[in-house]
Amino acid sequence: MESIPSVIPGWFSEMSPMWPGEAHSLKIEKVLYQEKSEYQSVLVFQSSTYGKVLVLDGVIQLTERDECAYQEMISHLPLCSIQNPRKVLVIGGGDGGVLREVSRYPSMEQIDICEIDKMVVDVSKQFFPALAIGFEDPRVNLHIGDGTAFLKSVTEGTYDAIIVDSSDPIGPAQELFKKPFFESVGRALRPGGVVCTQAESIWLHMHIIEDIVNVCRQIFKGSINYAWTTVPTYPSGVMGFMLCSTEGPFVDFQRPVYNIEENTENFGNSKGPPRFYNSEIHSAAFCLPSFAKRVLQPEIN
Amino acid sequence: MESIPSVIPGWFSEMSPMWPGEAHSLKIEKVLYQEKSEYQSVLVFQSSTYGKVLVLDGVIQLTERDECAYQEMISHLPLCSIQNPRKVLVIGGGDGGVLREVSRYPSMEQIDICEIDKMVVDVSKQFFPALAIGFEDPRVNLHIGDGTAFLKSVTEGTYDAIIVDSSDPIGPAQELFKKPFFESVGRALRPGGVVCTQAESIWLHMHIIEDIVNVCRQIFKGSINYAWTTVPTYPSGVMGFMLCSTEGPFVDFQRPVYNIEENTENFGNSKGPPRFYNSEIHSAAFCLPSFAKRVLQPEIN
């Protein structure tokens, strides 16, 4: 077992060239798992105040305390924006948290997931049962493999929605931020189908976001929107989402057409109502600070 | 000069019993100022990626990179919710950032500020000219002293708005979170007048927020609302605001009646449009995650 990348004894410190000059640290109660997979280093520790924490290549992917914000928003922003989603593909998301949320929809028939790193799935099943519960839904089909290759094998127009729950564009996820990937996503979606991809922080990565928006504008001929939410343990405390729809029935991402809170059958495997998401916070997520609006929505300024 | 409270050599680390088990750290390029005032320790340093940083009693108060979010939201959430604010009181806010924002309103006639610690004002004038510019407005009257005492001396019904830009409820600001203080605020406001006070993080301090809401419900017989925004260098990456109005003309905090971006005369001393605030983000700030909504707005769930 190699040593924890920590500069404070007994603490995990998250440092990266993607956010130079700052570090977020969590106190470690106990290291539960630490291995190198074929693709990345995988660390699980019990923190003193954020529950169990999953770290990939030195970057916090989730903590039990605040995972609800990310998992619920990346899932329900796209899925509550369309009527009766039936077929969904999740790229990445090997922890199962997005599956847990996707399985709330009674209309759902088929939930495919393509995760590149089997170790993430295994570690989640061992240490994060509240997330891995997503795998227990009988509609879920797990594929271990490369997301870009998987997409190429998909019949055109298969999915109502594709959710890209990737890590940062450094490491195994880098292809998931490039044009060929988005082209494959577009082909795999039905007309008026939607994609939601994690899209970094407006405070830290405006240039990455601009690039993603520009690529998406070339490929998706329906709606293009950027949303964001609060996730305390992500750098700068926010995480953004790129939401696009293909040519076809119009999708108004800012006005959800489905209310997930309305009846208890939607609570599904997660055994309770969403902890973070609701229809108002859905719409609010598309309101950008002026500095971001001027860059991303120049046409309406 | 005492040593910087740091756990990473060459870095400033923010640790507090108010957020146990986590720390946010910024890399220090150069320490510019470090003294003890009558009330607190005052530190200014040049960070490598967040500009200059002001720290009081070990807690980051502002960085040049993200101060816009806090200063603009705490000012414009209350002031854009009422017509033609003329008289405003700022409690705390010795850095001048709130004054800079308050001075954008052409209707403004009198801007009183009561800051307890003169060293904060002096340090801001020396190191943070983009904030201290707020003091240059001829409508500003600076009082150095205790905010609770100042409020008691104020004629009943004087102010259209009171903005409480305090530090956390540990240290010199603790009185500003208690019932007698809010009673004085209520007396100093005109009927239908508004108060906005910094009100901690929904992720970290739900119990403090519940207490503040309960006290405010007893005292303010108009509207009571909680809003929040993203501030990367505050713990958990968010900051909340308690907004209340006194009995009188109804104030709908969620629907601003004034658009600060509409004409350039509002750019005032800050020499540009708001960097963060706009009318959409104003309304969005009142949309709460479900876990917070269930506690703070039980009547509408």
Side-chain angles (χ1 to χ4, degrees):
Chain A
M1 210 180 256
E2 54 172 345
S3 70
I4 307 281
S6 171
V7 280
I8 315 179
W11 291 60
F12 167 80
S13 291
E14 187 187 57
M15 300 171 100
S16 163
M18 282 196 67
W19 43 92
E22 65 181 310
H24 189 239
S25 305
L26 294 176
K27 192 160 195 276
I28 299 172
E29 288 292 310
K30 193 180 177 188
V31 174
L32 301 172
Y33 186 89
Q34 194 178 16
E35 293 291 341
K36 264 202 186 300
S37 79
E38 196 179 337
Y39 300 97
Q40 54 202 343
S41 68
V42 180
L43 166 69
V44 178
F45 67 88
Q46 179 71 45
S47 70
S48 68
T49 52
Y50 276 79
K52 287 200 281 285
V53 182
L54 174 65
V55 179
L56 299 179
D57 278 348
V59 177
I60 294 171
Q61 302 297 307
L62 65 90
T63 81
E64 289 181 317
R65 182 158 159 195
D66 67 357
E67 55 92 2
C68 60
Y70 176 77
Q71 316 286 355
E72 294 179 13
M73 292 297 271
I74 199 172
S75 305
H76 303 312
L77 287 177
L79 295 179
C80 285
S81 296
I82 56 175
Q83 300 281 3
N84 300 316
R86 294 180 305 114
K87 293 186 180 182
V88 169
L89 170 63
V90 180
I91 308 262
D95 53 67
V98 168
L99 299 177
R100 178 190 70 200
E101 297 306 317
V102 171
S103 69
R104 289 181 184 272
Y105 294 78
S107 60
M108 204 63 73
E109 294 168 5
Q110 179 182 335
I111 308 171
D112 294 334
I113 174 167
C114 185
E115 162 64 49
I116 199 167
D117 194 345
K118 184 168 182 294
M119 192 183 279
V120 173
V121 178
D122 294 339
V123 155
S124 185
K125 287 181 177 173
Q126 188 177 354
F127 297 106
F128 297 93
L131 287 106
I133 196 170
F135 288 104
E136 291 174 20
D137 191 289
R139 296 166 294 184
V140 168
N141 312 299
L142 170 61
H143 304 262
I144 297 296
D146 174 59
T148 55
F150 183 86
L151 269 176
K152 279 176 194 150
S153 74
V154 164
T155 307
E156 200 176 320
T158 297
Y159 296 107
D160 299 300
I162 295 176
I163 296 169
V164 187
D165 175 15
S166 72
S167 43
D168 292 316
I170 291 177
Q174 57 182 310
E175 293 305 317
L176 308 185
F177 290 83
K178 293 182 180 164
K179 193 171 170 184
F181 174 73
F182 285 110
E183 284 171 339
S184 302
V185 166
R187 272 195 301 272
L189 286 172
R190 66 158 167 85
V194 295
V195 57
C196 179
T197 176
Q198 82 91 336
E200 304 297 336
S201 160
I202 44 175
W203 287 104
L204 298 173
H205 303 123
M206 214 53 186
H207 288 295
I208 296 176
I209 298 168
E210 255 193 286
D211 289 347
I212 298 174
V213 170
N214 288 336
V215 166
C216 287
R217 282 211 172 110
Q218 293 169 46
I219 290 163
F220 298 100
K221 298 305 178 190
S223 310
I224 307 259
N225 284 93
Y226 188 84
W228 62 281
T229 199
T230 160
V231 186
T233 54
Y234 287 165
S236 82
V238 302
M239 176 49 72
F241 306 100
M242 191 74 225
L243 287 134
C244 308
S245 68
T246 54
E247 198 166 7
F250 176 65
V251 177
D252 185 353
F253 283 115
Q254 300 183 52
R255 284 168 194 79
V257 294
Y258 184 69
N259 186 340
I260 196 101
E261 296 181 296
E262 250 169 17
N263 60 63
T264 50
E265 69 180 303
N266 295 330
F267 295 170
N269 273 340
S270 65
K271 314 227 190 298
R275 284 187 286 157
F276 188 92
Y277 176 91
N278 54 58
S279 296
E280 303 97 78
I281 213 151
H282 177 129
S283 296
F286 294 89
C287 299
L288 302 180
S290 295
F291 70 81
K293 204 170 132 181
R294 286 179 196 121
V295 176
L296 300 181
Q297 306 169 348
E299 69 281 5
I300 60 168
N301 267 278
Chain B
M1 210 180 255
E2 54 172 343
S3 68
I4 308 279
S6 174
V7 278
I8 313 180
W11 292 59
F12 167 80
S13 292
E14 187 186 59
M15 300 170 100
S16 163
M18 281 195 68
W19 43 91
E22 65 181 310
H24 189 240
S25 304
L26 294 175
K27 192 160 196 277
I28 298 173
E29 288 291 311
K30 193 180 178 188
V31 174
L32 301 171
Y33 186 91
Q34 194 178 17
E35 293 290 340
K36 263 202 187 300
S37 79
E38 196 180 335
Y39 300 97
Q40 54 203 342
S41 69
V42 179
L43 166 69
V44 179
F45 67 89
Q46 180 71 46
S47 69
S48 68
T49 52
Y50 276 79
K52 288 201 280 286
V53 182
L54 174 65
V55 179
L56 300 178
D57 278 349
V59 178
I60 293 171
Q61 302 297 306
L62 65 90
T63 81
E64 289 181 317
R65 182 158 159 194
D66 67 356
E67 56 91 1
C68 60
Y70 177 78
Q71 315 286 354
E72 294 179 14
M73 291 298 272
I74 199 172
S75 303
H76 304 311
L77 286 177
L79 296 178
C80 285
S81 296
I82 57 175
Q83 300 280 2
N84 299 315
R86 293 181 304 113
K87 294 186 179 182
V88 170
L89 170 63
V90 180
I91 308 263
D95 52 67
V98 169
L99 298 176
R100 178 190 70 199
E101 297 305 318
V102 171
S103 70
R104 288 181 185 271
Y105 294 78
S107 60
M108 204 62 73
E109 295 167 3
Q110 180 183 332
I111 307 171
D112 293 335
I113 174 168
C114 186
E115 161 65 49
I116 200 168
D117 194 346
K118 186 169 181 295
M119 191 182 281
V120 174
V121 178
D122 295 339
V123 156
S124 185
K125 286 181 177 174
Q126 190 176 351
F127 297 105
F128 297 93
L131 287 105
I133 197 170
F135 288 104
E136 289 174 21
D137 191 289
R139 296 165 295 185
V140 168
N141 312 297
L142 171 61
H143 304 262
I144 298 295
D146 175 59
T148 55
F150 182 86
L151 269 176
K152 280 176 193 148
S153 74
V154 165
T155 307
E156 200 176 320
T158 297
Y159 295 106
D160 299 300
I162 295 176
I163 297 169
V164 187
D165 175 15
S166 71
S167 44
D168 292 317
I170 291 178
Q174 59 182 310
E175 293 304 317
L176 308 186
F177 290 82
K178 293 181 180 165
K179 193 171 172 183
F181 174 73
F182 284 109
E183 284 170 340
S184 302
V185 166
R187 271 195 302 273
L189 287 171
R190 66 158 168 83
V194 294
V195 58
C196 180
T197 176
Q198 81 91 333
E200 303 298 338
S201 160
I202 44 175
W203 286 105
L204 297 172
H205 302 124
M206 215 53 188
H207 287 296
I208 297 176
I209 297 168
E210 256 193 285
D211 289 349
I212 297 174
V213 170
N214 287 336
V215 165
C216 287
R217 282 212 172 110
Q218 292 169 45
I219 290 163
F220 298 100
K221 299 304 177 191
S223 309
I224 308 258
N225 284 94
Y226 188 84
W228 63 279
T229 199
T230 160
V231 187
T233 55
Y234 286 165
S236 82
V238 302
M239 176 50 75
F241 306 101
M242 190 75 225
L243 287 134
C244 308
S245 69
T246 54
E247 197 166 10
F250 176 65
V251 177
D252 185 352
F253 283 115
Q254 300 183 53
R255 284 167 194 79
V257 294
Y258 185 70
N259 186 340
I260 196 102
E261 296 182 295
E262 250 168 18
N263 60 66
T264 51
E265 70 181 302
N266 294 329
F267 295 170
N269 274 340
S270 65
K271 313 228 188 297
R275 284 188 285 157
F276 188 93
Y277 176 91
N278 54 58
S279 296
E280 302 97 78
I281 213 151
H282 177 129
S283 296
F286 294 89
C287 299
L288 302 180
S290 295
F291 70 81
K293 204 170 134 180
R294 286 180 195 120
V295 176
L296 300 180
Q297 306 168 348
E299 69 281 3
I300 59 168
N301 267 278

